[in-house]
Amino acid sequence: MFPSQRTSRVREVDVREVVASVGARYSRAALASLPPALLLTDANRMLALSRTKGYLMARTGQYPCGVIQVGDGHRVVTTDLFRLLEVDDTGIRRTFAELPPAVPLPVANTLLSLCRTTGYRLARTGQYPCAVLRLGKEYRVRKNELQRLLRVADLSSGRAVA
């Protein structure tokens, strides 16, 4: 059988089994120090998924957490992962509470787990996942748009940013 003739099937993932295995390997402090957006490969490792299965699930929309397509890569929304693993996301919300309303692009790149070059290339070509403001020679991203993209609730109200 040729590779193009194979049909891809995604095995159902038992979420309770995954949560139990993650809890045994990662401390709450280690989980709380994660950035707001993870590389798909890191999330796959945490959820005990192979690289192939993780990318297949992300491509078919069956990944158990929110996945953002950023350029050619995929990022997993950490707050969705925390909800799946039943971990408190106050650390990420506190990080966003300290940000200014217009976030410099290097800071936004860090929050999205993007390298500097990729972030600036996406901003220049208009492919950045949020609207980018150009102020003179500098790029800025609105904090509210980052919160909405990463599904981070406002610290004061506890509700997701609309």
Short mmCIF file of all heavy atoms in Angstrom, two decimals, residues 130-153:
data_model
loop_
_atom_site.label_atom_id
_atom_site.label_comp_id
_atom_site.label_asym_id
_atom_site.label_seq_id
_atom_site.Cartn_x
_atom_site.Cartn_y
_atom_site.Cartn_z
N CYS A 130 -2.07 38.20 16.07
CA CYS A 130 -2.82 39.36 16.59
C CYS A 130 -2.54 40.55 15.67
O CYS A 130 -1.55 40.56 14.96
CB CYS A 130 -2.35 39.73 17.99
SG CYS A 130 -2.53 38.46 19.21
N ALA A 131 -3.41 41.54 15.76
CA ALA A 131 -3.15 42.77 15.01
C ALA A 131 -1.92 43.46 15.60
O ALA A 131 -1.77 43.56 16.82
CB ALA A 131 -4.35 43.69 15.09
N VAL A 132 -1.01 43.89 14.73
CA VAL A 132 0.23 44.52 15.16
C VAL A 132 0.17 46.00 14.79
O VAL A 132 -0.16 46.35 13.66
CB VAL A 132 1.45 43.84 14.49
CG1 VAL A 132 2.74 44.55 14.88
CG2 VAL A 132 1.52 42.38 14.86
N LEU A 133 0.48 46.85 15.77
CA LEU A 133 0.52 48.29 15.54
C LEU A 133 1.96 48.69 15.25
O LEU A 133 2.87 48.27 15.96
CB LEU A 133 0.04 49.04 16.78
CG LEU A 133 -1.32 48.64 17.36
CD1 LEU A 133 -1.51 49.32 18.70
CD2 LEU A 133 -2.40 49.03 16.39
N ARG A 134 2.15 49.50 14.24
CA ARG A 134 3.49 50.00 13.96
C ARG A 134 3.54 51.45 14.40
O ARG A 134 2.82 52.30 13.87
CB ARG A 134 3.81 49.88 12.48
CG ARG A 134 5.19 50.40 12.18
CD ARG A 134 5.90 49.58 11.19
NE ARG A 134 7.27 50.06 11.14
CZ ARG A 134 8.10 49.74 10.22
NH1 ARG A 134 7.73 48.93 9.27
NH2 ARG A 134 9.32 50.20 10.23
N LEU A 135 4.38 51.73 15.38
CA LEU A 135 4.54 53.08 15.91
C LEU A 135 5.97 53.54 15.63
O LEU A 135 6.89 53.17 16.34
CB LEU A 135 4.26 53.11 17.41
CG LEU A 135 2.90 52.56 17.85
CD1 LEU A 135 2.81 52.48 19.35
CD2 LEU A 135 1.79 53.42 17.29
N GLY A 136 6.13 54.29 14.55
CA GLY A 136 7.47 54.67 14.13
C GLY A 136 8.22 53.45 13.65
O GLY A 136 7.79 52.77 12.73
N LYS A 137 9.31 53.14 14.31
CA LYS A 137 10.10 51.96 13.94
C LYS A 137 9.78 50.76 14.83
O LYS A 137 10.37 49.70 14.65
CB LYS A 137 11.59 52.28 14.06
CG LYS A 137 12.07 53.29 13.06
CD LYS A 137 13.56 53.49 13.20
CE LYS A 137 14.07 54.47 12.16
NZ LYS A 137 15.52 54.67 12.25
N GLU A 138 8.87 50.92 15.77
CA GLU A 138 8.59 49.85 16.72
C GLU A 138 7.24 49.21 16.44
O GLU A 138 6.32 49.85 15.94
CB GLU A 138 8.61 50.39 18.15
CG GLU A 138 9.97 50.91 18.56
CD GLU A 138 9.99 51.36 20.00
OE1 GLU A 138 9.01 51.12 20.72
OE2 GLU A 138 10.98 51.98 20.39
N TYR A 139 7.14 47.94 16.81
CA TYR A 139 5.89 47.19 16.71
C TYR A 139 5.30 46.98 18.10
O TYR A 139 6.04 46.74 19.05
CB TYR A 139 6.14 45.81 16.09
CG TYR A 139 6.54 45.83 14.64
CD1 TYR A 139 7.86 45.66 14.26
CD2 TYR A 139 5.58 46.00 13.64
CE1 TYR A 139 8.23 45.66 12.93
CE2 TYR A 139 5.95 46.00 12.30
CZ TYR A 139 7.27 45.83 11.96
OH TYR A 139 7.63 45.83 10.63
N ARG A 140 3.99 47.08 18.18
CA ARG A 140 3.27 46.84 19.44
C ARG A 140 2.07 45.94 19.17
O ARG A 140 1.49 45.96 18.09
CB ARG A 140 2.75 48.15 20.04
CG ARG A 140 3.82 49.15 20.36
CD ARG A 140 4.30 48.96 21.77
NE ARG A 140 5.12 50.08 22.18
CZ ARG A 140 6.41 49.97 22.46
NH1 ARG A 140 7.00 48.82 22.37
NH2 ARG A 140 7.10 51.02 22.84
N VAL A 141 1.67 45.18 20.20
CA VAL A 141 0.49 44.32 20.14
C VAL A 141 -0.40 44.70 21.31
O VAL A 141 0.08 44.91 22.43
CB VAL A 141 0.88 42.82 20.24
CG1 VAL A 141 -0.34 41.93 20.24
CG2 VAL A 141 1.82 42.45 19.11
N ARG A 142 -1.70 44.82 21.05
CA ARG A 142 -2.62 45.17 22.14
C ARG A 142 -2.72 44.02 23.15
O ARG A 142 -2.87 42.86 22.77
CB ARG A 142 -4.00 45.46 21.57
CG ARG A 142 -4.08 46.75 20.83
CD ARG A 142 -5.53 47.07 20.47
NE ARG A 142 -5.58 48.28 19.70
CZ ARG A 142 -5.72 48.30 18.37
NH1 ARG A 142 -5.83 47.18 17.70
NH2 ARG A 142 -5.75 49.45 17.74
N LYS A 143 -2.66 44.37 24.42
CA LYS A 143 -2.73 43.37 25.48
C LYS A 143 -4.05 42.61 25.43
O LYS A 143 -4.07 41.39 25.60
CB LYS A 143 -2.57 44.04 26.85
CG LYS A 143 -2.69 43.08 28.02
CD LYS A 143 -2.32 43.74 29.32
CE LYS A 143 -3.54 44.18 30.06
NZ LYS A 143 -3.25 44.63 31.42
N ASN A 144 -5.15 43.31 25.16
CA ASN A 144 -6.46 42.65 25.11
C ASN A 144 -6.51 41.57 24.03
O ASN A 144 -7.12 40.52 24.21
CB ASN A 144 -7.58 43.67 24.87
CG ASN A 144 -7.82 44.53 26.08
OD1 ASN A 144 -7.37 44.20 27.17
ND2 ASN A 144 -8.50 45.64 25.89
N GLU A 145 -5.87 41.84 22.88
CA GLU A 145 -5.87 40.85 21.80
C GLU A 145 -5.04 39.63 22.17
O GLU A 145 -5.41 38.51 21.84
CB GLU A 145 -5.38 41.49 20.50
CG GLU A 145 -6.36 42.48 19.94
CD GLU A 145 -6.03 42.90 18.52
OE1 GLU A 145 -5.35 42.13 17.83
OE2 GLU A 145 -6.46 43.99 18.15
N LEU A 146 -3.92 39.86 22.86
CA LEU A 146 -3.12 38.72 23.33
C LEU A 146 -3.90 37.89 24.34
O LEU A 146 -3.89 36.66 24.29
CB LEU A 146 -1.82 39.21 23.97
CG LEU A 146 -0.65 39.48 23.05
CD1 LEU A 146 0.50 40.09 23.84
CD2 LEU A 146 -0.20 38.23 22.35
N GLN A 147 -4.59 38.57 25.25
CA GLN A 147 -5.39 37.85 26.25
C GLN A 147 -6.49 37.03 25.57
O GLN A 147 -6.75 35.90 25.96
CB GLN A 147 -6.02 38.82 27.25
CG GLN A 147 -5.06 39.31 28.29
CD GLN A 147 -5.73 40.23 29.28
OE1 GLN A 147 -6.09 41.35 28.94
NE2 GLN A 147 -5.90 39.76 30.49
N ARG A 148 -7.12 37.62 24.58
CA ARG A 148 -8.19 36.91 23.87
C ARG A 148 -7.63 35.70 23.13
O ARG A 148 -8.20 34.62 23.17
CB ARG A 148 -8.89 37.87 22.90
CG ARG A 148 -10.18 37.36 22.35
CD ARG A 148 -10.91 38.40 21.51
NE ARG A 148 -11.12 39.66 22.24
CZ ARG A 148 -10.59 40.84 21.88
NH1 ARG A 148 -9.84 40.94 20.82
NH2 ARG A 148 -10.83 41.91 22.59
N LEU A 149 -6.50 35.87 22.46
CA LEU A 149 -5.89 34.78 21.70
C LEU A 149 -5.47 33.63 22.61
O LEU A 149 -5.69 32.46 22.30
CB LEU A 149 -4.66 35.31 20.93
CG LEU A 149 -3.86 34.28 20.15
CD1 LEU A 149 -4.67 33.80 18.94
CD2 LEU A 149 -2.55 34.87 19.70
N LEU A 150 -4.89 33.98 23.76
CA LEU A 150 -4.38 32.96 24.68
C LEU A 150 -5.39 32.55 25.74
O LEU A 150 -5.07 31.78 26.64
CB LEU A 150 -3.10 33.47 25.35
CG LEU A 150 -1.95 33.73 24.37
CD1 LEU A 150 -0.79 34.40 25.07
CD2 LEU A 150 -1.51 32.44 23.72
N ARG A 151 -6.61 33.08 25.63
CA ARG A 151 -7.72 32.73 26.52
C ARG A 151 -7.36 32.92 28.00
O ARG A 151 -7.60 32.06 28.83
CB ARG A 151 -8.16 31.29 26.28
CG ARG A 151 -8.68 31.06 24.88
CD ARG A 151 -9.04 29.59 24.68
NE ARG A 151 -9.42 29.32 23.32
CZ ARG A 151 -8.60 28.89 22.38
NH1 ARG A 151 -7.34 28.67 22.65
NH2 ARG A 151 -9.03 28.65 21.16
N VAL A 152 -6.75 34.06 28.29
CA VAL A 152 -6.36 34.39 29.66
C VAL A 152 -7.44 35.28 30.26
O VAL A 152 -7.78 36.32 29.70
CB VAL A 152 -4.99 35.11 29.69
CG1 VAL A 152 -4.64 35.53 31.10
CG2 VAL A 152 -3.92 34.21 29.11
N ALA A 153 -7.96 34.90 31.41
CA ALA A 153 -8.99 35.69 32.08
C ALA A 153 -8.35 36.89 32.75
O ALA A 153 -7.19 36.89 33.12
CB ALA A 153 -9.69 34.84 33.13
#
